[in-house]
PDB file of all heavy atoms in Angstrom:
ATOM      1  N   ALA Y 337     -13.998   1.962  10.318  1.00 77.00           N
ATOM      2  CA  ALA Y 337     -14.066   0.924  11.349  1.00 77.00           C
ATOM      3  C   ALA Y 337     -12.666   0.389  11.597  1.00 77.00           C
ATOM      4  O   ALA Y 337     -11.800   0.457  10.714  1.00 77.00           O
ATOM      5  CB  ALA Y 337     -14.982  -0.221  10.892  1.00 77.00           C
ATOM      6  N   LEU Y 338     -12.450  -0.118  12.783  1.00 76.00           N
ATOM      7  CA  LEU Y 338     -11.198  -0.820  13.048  1.00 76.00           C
ATOM      8  C   LEU Y 338     -11.082  -2.018  12.115  1.00 76.00           C
ATOM      9  O   LEU Y 338     -12.076  -2.690  11.826  1.00 76.00           O
ATOM     10  CB  LEU Y 338     -11.152  -1.288  14.501  1.00 76.00           C
ATOM     11  CG  LEU Y 338     -10.911  -0.221  15.566  1.00 76.00           C
ATOM     12  CD1 LEU Y 338     -11.148  -0.811  16.946  1.00 76.00           C
ATOM     13  CD2 LEU Y 338      -9.492   0.338  15.455  1.00 76.00           C
ATOM     14  N   MET Y 339      -9.884  -2.298  11.659  1.00 74.00           N
ATOM     15  CA  MET Y 339      -9.667  -3.416  10.750  1.00 74.00           C
ATOM     16  C   MET Y 339     -10.254  -4.712  11.313  1.00 74.00           C
ATOM     17  O   MET Y 339     -10.880  -5.495  10.593  1.00 74.00           O
ATOM     18  CB  MET Y 339      -8.172  -3.587  10.485  1.00 74.00           C
ATOM     19  CG  MET Y 339      -7.836  -4.770   9.598  1.00 74.00           C
ATOM     20  SD  MET Y 339      -6.064  -5.012   9.438  1.00 74.00           S
ATOM     21  CE  MET Y 339      -6.038  -6.510   8.459  1.00 74.00           C
ATOM     22  N   MET Y 340     -10.072  -4.941  12.612  1.00 85.00           N
ATOM     23  CA  MET Y 340     -10.504  -6.195  13.220  1.00 85.00           C
ATOM     24  C   MET Y 340     -12.024  -6.324  13.298  1.00 85.00           C
ATOM     25  O   MET Y 340     -12.551  -7.408  13.515  1.00 85.00           O
ATOM     26  CB  MET Y 340      -9.911  -6.325  14.630  1.00 85.00           C
ATOM     27  CG  MET Y 340      -8.386  -6.355  14.645  1.00 85.00           C
ATOM     28  SD  MET Y 340      -7.711  -7.751  13.697  1.00 85.00           S
ATOM     29  CE  MET Y 340      -8.277  -9.121  14.687  1.00 85.00           C
ATOM     30  N   ASP Y 341     -12.747  -5.213  13.106  1.00 86.00           N
ATOM     31  CA  ASP Y 341     -14.204  -5.238  13.203  1.00 86.00           C
ATOM     32  C   ASP Y 341     -14.900  -5.425  11.863  1.00 86.00           C
ATOM     33  O   ASP Y 341     -16.129  -5.515  11.811  1.00 86.00           O
ATOM     34  CB  ASP Y 341     -14.708  -3.932  13.841  1.00 86.00           C
ATOM     35  CG  ASP Y 341     -14.303  -3.815  15.303  1.00 86.00           C
ATOM     36  OD1 ASP Y 341     -14.047  -4.860  15.931  1.00 86.00           O
ATOM     37  OD2 ASP Y 341     -14.229  -2.670  15.799  1.00 86.00           O
ATOM     38  N   VAL Y 342     -14.146  -5.464  10.774  1.00 86.00           N
ATOM     39  CA  VAL Y 342     -14.744  -5.587   9.442  1.00 86.00           C
ATOM     40  C   VAL Y 342     -15.002  -7.066   9.138  1.00 86.00           C
ATOM     41  O   VAL Y 342     -14.106  -7.896   9.253  1.00 86.00           O
ATOM     42  CB  VAL Y 342     -13.823  -4.975   8.369  1.00 86.00           C
ATOM     43  CG1 VAL Y 342     -14.442  -5.130   6.980  1.00 86.00           C
ATOM     44  CG2 VAL Y 342     -13.561  -3.501   8.671  1.00 86.00           C
ATOM     45  N   THR Y 343     -16.225  -7.376   8.745  1.00 93.00           N
ATOM     46  CA  THR Y 343     -16.588  -8.764   8.473  1.00 93.00           C
ATOM     47  C   THR Y 343     -16.021  -9.233   7.132  1.00 93.00           C
ATOM     48  O   THR Y 343     -15.742  -8.426   6.238  1.00 93.00           O
ATOM     49  CB  THR Y 343     -18.116  -8.934   8.418  1.00 93.00           C
ATOM     50  OG1 THR Y 343     -18.636  -8.192   7.304  1.00 93.00           O
ATOM     51  CG2 THR Y 343     -18.760  -8.433   9.706  1.00 93.00           C
ATOM     52  N   ASP Y 344     -15.876 -10.541   6.993  1.00 94.00           N
ATOM     53  CA  ASP Y 344     -15.396 -11.112   5.732  1.00 94.00           C
ATOM     54  C   ASP Y 344     -16.346 -10.774   4.587  1.00 94.00           C
ATOM     55  O   ASP Y 344     -15.916 -10.523   3.459  1.00 94.00           O
ATOM     56  CB  ASP Y 344     -15.254 -12.633   5.851  1.00 94.00           C
ATOM     57  CG  ASP Y 344     -14.089 -13.041   6.733  1.00 94.00           C
ATOM     58  OD1 ASP Y 344     -13.269 -12.166   7.077  1.00 94.00           O
ATOM     59  OD2 ASP Y 344     -14.003 -14.240   7.078  1.00 94.00           O
ATOM     60  N   GLU Y 345     -17.649 -10.747   4.870  1.00 92.00           N
ATOM     61  CA  GLU Y 345     -18.633 -10.407   3.843  1.00 92.00           C
ATOM     62  C   GLU Y 345     -18.433  -8.989   3.341  1.00 92.00           C
ATOM     63  O   GLU Y 345     -18.503  -8.722   2.132  1.00 92.00           O
ATOM     64  CB  GLU Y 345     -20.044 -10.566   4.409  1.00 92.00           C
ATOM     65  CG  GLU Y 345     -21.144 -10.231   3.407  1.00 92.00           C
ATOM     66  CD  GLU Y 345     -22.528 -10.381   4.016  1.00 92.00           C
ATOM     67  OE1 GLU Y 345     -22.828  -9.651   4.988  1.00 92.00           O
ATOM     68  OE2 GLU Y 345     -23.297 -11.215   3.516  1.00 92.00           O
ATOM     69  N   ARG Y 346     -18.150  -8.074   4.274  1.00 92.00           N
ATOM     70  CA  ARG Y 346     -17.920  -6.672   3.891  1.00 92.00           C
ATOM     71  C   ARG Y 346     -16.648  -6.542   3.065  1.00 92.00           C
ATOM     72  O   ARG Y 346     -16.595  -5.762   2.106  1.00 92.00           O
ATOM     73  CB  ARG Y 346     -17.810  -5.817   5.151  1.00 92.00           C
ATOM     74  CG  ARG Y 346     -18.012  -4.339   4.902  1.00 92.00           C
ATOM     75  CD  ARG Y 346     -19.477  -4.023   4.712  1.00 92.00           C
ATOM     76  NE  ARG Y 346     -19.687  -2.588   4.651  1.00 92.00           N
ATOM     77  CZ  ARG Y 346     -19.782  -1.883   3.524  1.00 92.00           C
ATOM     78  NH1 ARG Y 346     -19.703  -2.487   2.367  1.00 92.00           N
ATOM     79  NH2 ARG Y 346     -19.976  -0.591   3.557  1.00 92.00           N
ATOM     80  N   ILE Y 347     -15.631  -7.290   3.427  1.00 92.00           N
ATOM     81  CA  ILE Y 347     -14.385  -7.267   2.657  1.00 92.00           C
ATOM     82  C   ILE Y 347     -14.661  -7.690   1.215  1.00 92.00           C
ATOM     83  O   ILE Y 347     -14.244  -7.022   0.259  1.00 92.00           O
ATOM     84  CB  ILE Y 347     -13.328  -8.201   3.286  1.00 92.00           C
ATOM     85  CG1 ILE Y 347     -12.914  -7.691   4.668  1.00 92.00           C
ATOM     86  CG2 ILE Y 347     -12.089  -8.302   2.380  1.00 92.00           C
ATOM     87  CD1 ILE Y 347     -12.089  -8.683   5.461  1.00 92.00           C
ATOM     88  N   GLU Y 348     -15.378  -8.798   1.045  1.00 94.00           N
ATOM     89  CA  GLU Y 348     -15.654  -9.310  -0.290  1.00 94.00           C
ATOM     90  C   GLU Y 348     -16.467  -8.306  -1.116  1.00 94.00           C
ATOM     91  O   GLU Y 348     -16.188  -8.098  -2.304  1.00 94.00           O
ATOM     92  CB  GLU Y 348     -16.392 -10.645  -0.197  1.00 94.00           C
ATOM     93  CG  GLU Y 348     -15.537 -11.781   0.340  1.00 94.00           C
ATOM     94  CD  GLU Y 348     -16.313 -13.072   0.506  1.00 94.00           C
ATOM     95  OE1 GLU Y 348     -17.508 -13.102   0.120  1.00 94.00           O
ATOM     96  OE2 GLU Y 348     -15.740 -14.040   1.019  1.00 94.00           O
ATOM     97  N   GLU Y 349     -17.461  -7.684  -0.497  1.00 93.00           N
ATOM     98  CA  GLU Y 349     -18.289  -6.706  -1.211  1.00 93.00           C
ATOM     99  C   GLU Y 349     -17.468  -5.517  -1.693  1.00 93.00           C
ATOM    100  O   GLU Y 349     -17.590  -5.080  -2.843  1.00 93.00           O
ATOM    101  CB  GLU Y 349     -19.418  -6.208  -0.304  1.00 93.00           C
ATOM    102  CG  GLU Y 349     -20.530  -7.210  -0.071  1.00 93.00           C
ATOM    103  CD  GLU Y 349     -21.597  -6.665   0.860  1.00 93.00           C
ATOM    104  OE1 GLU Y 349     -21.394  -5.545   1.411  1.00 93.00           O
ATOM    105  OE2 GLU Y 349     -22.625  -7.332   1.043  1.00 93.00           O
ATOM    106  N   MET Y 350     -16.629  -4.981  -0.815  1.00 92.00           N
ATOM    107  CA  MET Y 350     -15.882  -3.785  -1.174  1.00 92.00           C
ATOM    108  C   MET Y 350     -14.795  -4.086  -2.192  1.00 92.00           C
ATOM    109  O   MET Y 350     -14.520  -3.262  -3.083  1.00 92.00           O
ATOM    110  CB  MET Y 350     -15.306  -3.115   0.069  1.00 92.00           C
ATOM    111  CG  MET Y 350     -16.363  -2.395   0.883  1.00 92.00           C
ATOM    112  SD  MET Y 350     -15.718  -1.315   2.182  1.00 92.00           S
ATOM    113  CE  MET Y 350     -14.866  -0.049   1.244  1.00 92.00           C
ATOM    114  N   VAL Y 351     -14.163  -5.237  -2.083  1.00 95.00           N
ATOM    115  CA  VAL Y 351     -13.155  -5.615  -3.082  1.00 95.00           C
ATOM    116  C   VAL Y 351     -13.814  -5.803  -4.445  1.00 95.00           C
ATOM    117  O   VAL Y 351     -13.301  -5.348  -5.471  1.00 95.00           O
ATOM    118  CB  VAL Y 351     -12.396  -6.883  -2.652  1.00 95.00           C
ATOM    119  CG1 VAL Y 351     -11.540  -7.424  -3.796  1.00 95.00           C
ATOM    120  CG2 VAL Y 351     -11.521  -6.589  -1.438  1.00 95.00           C
ATOM    121  N   TYR Y 352     -14.991  -6.432  -4.452  1.00 96.00           N
ATOM    122  CA  TYR Y 352     -15.670  -6.637  -5.731  1.00 96.00           C
ATOM    123  C   TYR Y 352     -16.093  -5.288  -6.320  1.00 96.00           C
ATOM    124  O   TYR Y 352     -15.874  -5.019  -7.515  1.00 96.00           O
ATOM    125  CB  TYR Y 352     -16.901  -7.539  -5.585  1.00 96.00           C
ATOM    126  CG  TYR Y 352     -17.174  -8.296  -6.868  1.00 96.00           C
ATOM    127  CD1 TYR Y 352     -16.769  -9.618  -7.025  1.00 96.00           C
ATOM    128  CD2 TYR Y 352     -17.781  -7.665  -7.950  1.00 96.00           C
ATOM    129  CE1 TYR Y 352     -16.981 -10.299  -8.223  1.00 96.00           C
ATOM    130  CE2 TYR Y 352     -17.988  -8.326  -9.144  1.00 96.00           C
ATOM    131  CZ  TYR Y 352     -17.594  -9.642  -9.276  1.00 96.00           C
ATOM    132  OH  TYR Y 352     -17.782 -10.289 -10.476  1.00 96.00           O
ATOM    133  N   LEU Y 353     -16.659  -4.421  -5.502  1.00 96.00           N
ATOM    134  CA  LEU Y 353     -17.160  -3.136  -5.984  1.00 96.00           C
ATOM    135  C   LEU Y 353     -16.050  -2.246  -6.520  1.00 96.00           C
ATOM    136  O   LEU Y 353     -16.198  -1.638  -7.586  1.00 96.00           O
ATOM    137  CB  LEU Y 353     -17.887  -2.420  -4.840  1.00 96.00           C
ATOM    138  CG  LEU Y 353     -18.389  -1.004  -5.108  1.00 96.00           C
ATOM    139  CD1 LEU Y 353     -19.411  -1.011  -6.240  1.00 96.00           C
ATOM    140  CD2 LEU Y 353     -18.984  -0.408  -3.840  1.00 96.00           C
ATOM    141  N   SER Y 354     -14.956  -2.152  -5.815  1.00 96.00           N
ATOM    142  CA  SER Y 354     -13.921  -1.190  -6.183  1.00 96.00           C
ATOM    143  C   SER Y 354     -12.829  -1.752  -7.079  1.00 96.00           C
ATOM    144  O   SER Y 354     -12.157  -0.975  -7.772  1.00 96.00           O
ATOM    145  CB  SER Y 354     -13.270  -0.618  -4.907  1.00 96.00           C
ATOM    146  OG  SER Y 354     -14.195   0.170  -4.198  1.00 96.00           O
ATOM    147  N   VAL Y 355     -12.643  -3.065  -7.070  1.00 97.00           N
ATOM    148  CA  VAL Y 355     -11.536  -3.654  -7.832  1.00 97.00           C
ATOM    149  C   VAL Y 355     -12.036  -4.598  -8.924  1.00 97.00           C
ATOM    150  O   VAL Y 355     -11.800  -4.366 -10.113  1.00 97.00           O
ATOM    151  CB  VAL Y 355     -10.551  -4.389  -6.897  1.00 97.00           C
ATOM    152  CG1 VAL Y 355      -9.367  -4.921  -7.698  1.00 97.00           C
ATOM    153  CG2 VAL Y 355     -10.072  -3.465  -5.784  1.00 97.00           C
ATOM    154  N   THR Y 356     -12.760  -5.641  -8.531  1.00 97.00           N
ATOM    155  CA  THR Y 356     -13.180  -6.644  -9.513  1.00 97.00           C
ATOM    156  C   THR Y 356     -14.133  -6.065 -10.546  1.00 97.00           C
ATOM    157  O   THR Y 356     -13.983  -6.296 -11.758  1.00 97.00           O
ATOM    158  CB  THR Y 356     -13.837  -7.842  -8.808  1.00 97.00           C
ATOM    159  OG1 THR Y 356     -12.989  -8.299  -7.750  1.00 97.00           O
ATOM    160  CG2 THR Y 356     -14.073  -8.980  -9.795  1.00 97.00           C
ATOM    161  N   ALA Y 357     -15.119  -5.298 -10.111  1.00 97.00           N
ATOM    162  CA  ALA Y 357     -16.077  -4.704 -11.050  1.00 97.00           C
ATOM    163  C   ALA Y 357     -15.370  -3.727 -11.988  1.00 97.00           C
ATOM    164  O   ALA Y 357     -15.660  -3.688 -13.194  1.00 97.00           O
ATOM    165  CB  ALA Y 357     -17.201  -4.010 -10.300  1.00 97.00           C
ATOM    166  N   LEU Y 358     -14.458  -2.933 -11.472  1.00 98.00           N
ATOM    167  CA  LEU Y 358     -13.675  -2.025 -12.318  1.00 98.00           C
ATOM    168  C   LEU Y 358     -12.932  -2.814 -13.392  1.00 98.00           C
ATOM    169  O   LEU Y 358     -12.959  -2.456 -14.578  1.00 98.00           O
ATOM    170  CB  LEU Y 358     -12.690  -1.238 -11.453  1.00 98.00           C
ATOM    171  CG  LEU Y 358     -11.582  -0.483 -12.192  1.00 98.00           C
ATOM    172  CD1 LEU Y 358     -12.166   0.542 -13.161  1.00 98.00           C
ATOM    173  CD2 LEU Y 358     -10.630   0.179 -11.187  1.00 98.00           C
ATOM    174  N   TYR Y 359     -12.277  -3.865 -12.988  1.00 98.00           N
ATOM    175  CA  TYR Y 359     -11.516  -4.706 -13.922  1.00 98.00           C
ATOM    176  C   TYR Y 359     -12.446  -5.277 -14.995  1.00 98.00           C
ATOM    177  O   TYR Y 359     -12.157  -5.214 -16.202  1.00 98.00           O
ATOM    178  CB  TYR Y 359     -10.839  -5.835 -13.144  1.00 98.00           C
ATOM    179  CG  TYR Y 359      -9.721  -6.527 -13.881  1.00 98.00           C
ATOM    180  CD1 TYR Y 359      -8.408  -6.418 -13.437  1.00 98.00           C
ATOM    181  CD2 TYR Y 359      -9.968  -7.314 -15.006  1.00 98.00           C
ATOM    182  CE1 TYR Y 359      -7.368  -7.057 -14.097  1.00 98.00           C
ATOM    183  CE2 TYR Y 359      -8.933  -7.959 -15.672  1.00 98.00           C
ATOM    184  CZ  TYR Y 359      -7.645  -7.825 -15.214  1.00 98.00           C
ATOM    185  OH  TYR Y 359      -6.613  -8.462 -15.871  1.00 98.00           O
ATOM    186  N   ARG Y 360     -13.586  -5.820 -14.561  1.00 98.00           N
ATOM    187  CA  ARG Y 360     -14.503  -6.467 -15.512  1.00 98.00           C
ATOM    188  C   ARG Y 360     -15.133  -5.474 -16.489  1.00 98.00           C
ATOM    189  O   ARG Y 360     -15.280  -5.761 -17.682  1.00 98.00           O
ATOM    190  CB  ARG Y 360     -15.596  -7.223 -14.757  1.00 98.00           C
ATOM    191  CG  ARG Y 360     -15.109  -8.469 -14.006  1.00 98.00           C
ATOM    192  CD  ARG Y 360     -16.290  -9.288 -13.505  1.00 98.00           C
ATOM    193  NE  ARG Y 360     -17.116  -9.744 -14.631  1.00 98.00           N
ATOM    194  CZ  ARG Y 360     -18.367 -10.170 -14.506  1.00 98.00           C
ATOM    195  NH1 ARG Y 360     -18.941 -10.173 -13.308  1.00 98.00           N
ATOM    196  NH2 ARG Y 360     -19.044 -10.570 -15.557  1.00 98.00           N
ATOM    197  N   ILE Y 361     -15.514  -4.311 -15.990  1.00 98.00           N
ATOM    198  CA  ILE Y 361     -16.141  -3.317 -16.863  1.00 98.00           C
ATOM    199  C   ILE Y 361     -15.121  -2.774 -17.855  1.00 98.00           C
ATOM    200  O   ILE Y 361     -15.416  -2.600 -19.044  1.00 98.00           O
ATOM    201  CB  ILE Y 361     -16.794  -2.203 -16.031  1.00 98.00           C
ATOM    202  CG1 ILE Y 361     -17.965  -2.779 -15.217  1.00 98.00           C
ATOM    203  CG2 ILE Y 361     -17.282  -1.068 -16.932  1.00 98.00           C
ATOM    204  CD1 ILE Y 361     -18.533  -1.828 -14.182  1.00 98.00           C
ATOM    205  N   ALA Y 362     -13.908  -2.503 -17.380  1.00 98.00           N
ATOM    206  CA  ALA Y 362     -12.859  -2.048 -18.298  1.00 98.00           C
ATOM    207  C   ALA Y 362     -12.566  -3.114 -19.357  1.00 98.00           C
ATOM    208  O   ALA Y 362     -12.402  -2.798 -20.545  1.00 98.00           O
ATOM    209  CB  ALA Y 362     -11.591  -1.701 -17.513  1.00 98.00           C
ATOM    210  N   LYS Y 363     -12.509  -4.351 -18.937  1.00 98.00           N
ATOM    211  CA  LYS Y 363     -12.278  -5.450 -19.873  1.00 98.00           C
ATOM    212  C   LYS Y 363     -13.387  -5.535 -20.921  1.00 98.00           C
ATOM    213  O   LYS Y 363     -13.144  -5.870 -22.085  1.00 98.00           O
ATOM    214  CB  LYS Y 363     -12.191  -6.766 -19.092  1.00 98.00           C
ATOM    215  CG  LYS Y 363     -11.910  -7.998 -19.933  1.00 98.00           C
ATOM    216  CD  LYS Y 363     -11.876  -9.243 -19.053  1.00 98.00           C
ATOM    217  CE  LYS Y 363     -11.693 -10.506 -19.891  1.00 98.00           C
ATOM    218  NZ  LYS Y 363     -11.723 -11.726 -19.052  1.00 98.00           N
ATOM    219  N   PHE Y 364     -14.595  -5.197 -20.523  1.00 98.00           N
ATOM    220  CA  PHE Y 364     -15.752  -5.243 -21.428  1.00 98.00           C
ATOM    221  C   PHE Y 364     -15.702  -4.131 -22.475  1.00 98.00           C
ATOM    222  O   PHE Y 364     -16.035  -4.347 -23.646  1.00 98.00           O
ATOM    223  CB  PHE Y 364     -17.039  -5.139 -20.608  1.00 98.00           C
ATOM    224  CG  PHE Y 364     -18.302  -5.245 -21.421  1.00 98.00           C
ATOM    225  CD1 PHE Y 364     -18.844  -6.477 -21.744  1.00 98.00           C
ATOM    226  CD2 PHE Y 364     -18.950  -4.095 -21.869  1.00 98.00           C
ATOM    227  CE1 PHE Y 364     -20.018  -6.574 -22.502  1.00 98.00           C
ATOM    228  CE2 PHE Y 364     -20.122  -4.179 -22.619  1.00 98.00           C
ATOM    229  CZ  PHE Y 364     -20.650  -5.417 -22.934  1.00 98.00           C
ATOM    230  N   VAL Y 365     -15.310  -2.921 -22.060  1.00 98.00           N
ATOM    231  CA  VAL Y 365     -15.344  -1.784 -22.992  1.00 98.00           C
ATOM    232  C   VAL Y 365     -14.077  -1.645 -23.830  1.00 98.00           C
ATOM    233  O   VAL Y 365     -14.098  -0.992 -24.888  1.00 98.00           O
ATOM    234  CB  VAL Y 365     -15.625  -0.456 -22.247  1.00 98.00           C
ATOM    235  CG1 VAL Y 365     -16.924  -0.543 -21.460  1.00 98.00           C
ATOM    236  CG2 VAL Y 365     -14.469  -0.053 -21.328  1.00 98.00           C
ATOM    237  N   LEU Y 366     -12.987  -2.253 -23.400  1.00 98.00           N
ATOM    238  CA  LEU Y 366     -11.707  -2.058 -24.084  1.00 98.00           C
ATOM    239  C   LEU Y 366     -11.670  -2.569 -25.529  1.00 98.00           C
ATOM    240  O   LEU Y 366     -11.076  -1.894 -26.387  1.00 98.00           O
ATOM    241  CB  LEU Y 366     -10.574  -2.703 -23.286  1.00 98.00           C
ATOM    242  CG  LEU Y 366      -9.861  -1.785 -22.285  1.00 98.00           C
ATOM    243  CD1 LEU Y 366      -8.890  -2.579 -21.437  1.00 98.00           C
ATOM    244  CD2 LEU Y 366      -9.134  -0.660 -23.027  1.00 98.00           C
ATOM    245  N   PRO Y 367     -12.254  -3.728 -25.865  1.00 97.00           N
ATOM    246  CA  PRO Y 367     -12.127  -4.207 -27.245  1.00 97.00           C
ATOM    247  C   PRO Y 367     -12.583  -3.204 -28.302  1.00 97.00           C
ATOM    248  O   PRO Y 367     -11.900  -3.020 -29.323  1.00 97.00           O
ATOM    249  CB  PRO Y 367     -12.993  -5.473 -27.253  1.00 97.00           C
ATOM    250  CG  PRO Y 367     -12.904  -5.982 -25.851  1.00 97.00           C
ATOM    251  CD  PRO Y 367     -12.889  -4.744 -25.003  1.00 97.00           C
ATOM    252  N   LYS Y 368     -13.693  -2.513 -28.068  1.00 96.00           N
ATOM    253  CA  LYS Y 368     -14.163  -1.510 -29.033  1.00 96.00           C
ATOM    254  C   LYS Y 368     -13.212  -0.312 -29.074  1.00 96.00           C
ATOM    255  O   LYS Y 368     -12.962   0.266 -30.136  1.00 96.00           O
ATOM    256  CB  LYS Y 368     -15.568  -1.043 -28.669  1.00 96.00           C
ATOM    257  CG  LYS Y 368     -16.655  -2.079 -28.922  1.00 96.00           C
ATOM    258  CD  LYS Y 368     -16.864  -2.319 -30.412  1.00 96.00           C
ATOM    259  CE  LYS Y 368     -18.037  -3.239 -30.657  1.00 96.00           C
ATOM    260  NZ  LYS Y 368     -18.227  -3.535 -32.098  1.00 96.00           N
TER     261      LYS Y 368
END
Side-chain angles (χ1 to χ4, degrees):
L338 286 170
M339 177 185 176
M340 298 300 294
D341 292 337
V342 179
T343 65
D344 289 349
E345 180 181 62
R346 198 77 172 96
I347 295 169
E348 291 176 4
E349 287 179 354
M350 286 191 65
V351 169
Y352 209 99
L353 175 62
S354 293
V355 183
T356 310
L358 167 60
Y359 197 113
R360 291 190 61 198
I361 294 170
K363 182 181 176 183
F364 183 85
V365 304
L366 268 173
K368 288 291 186 182

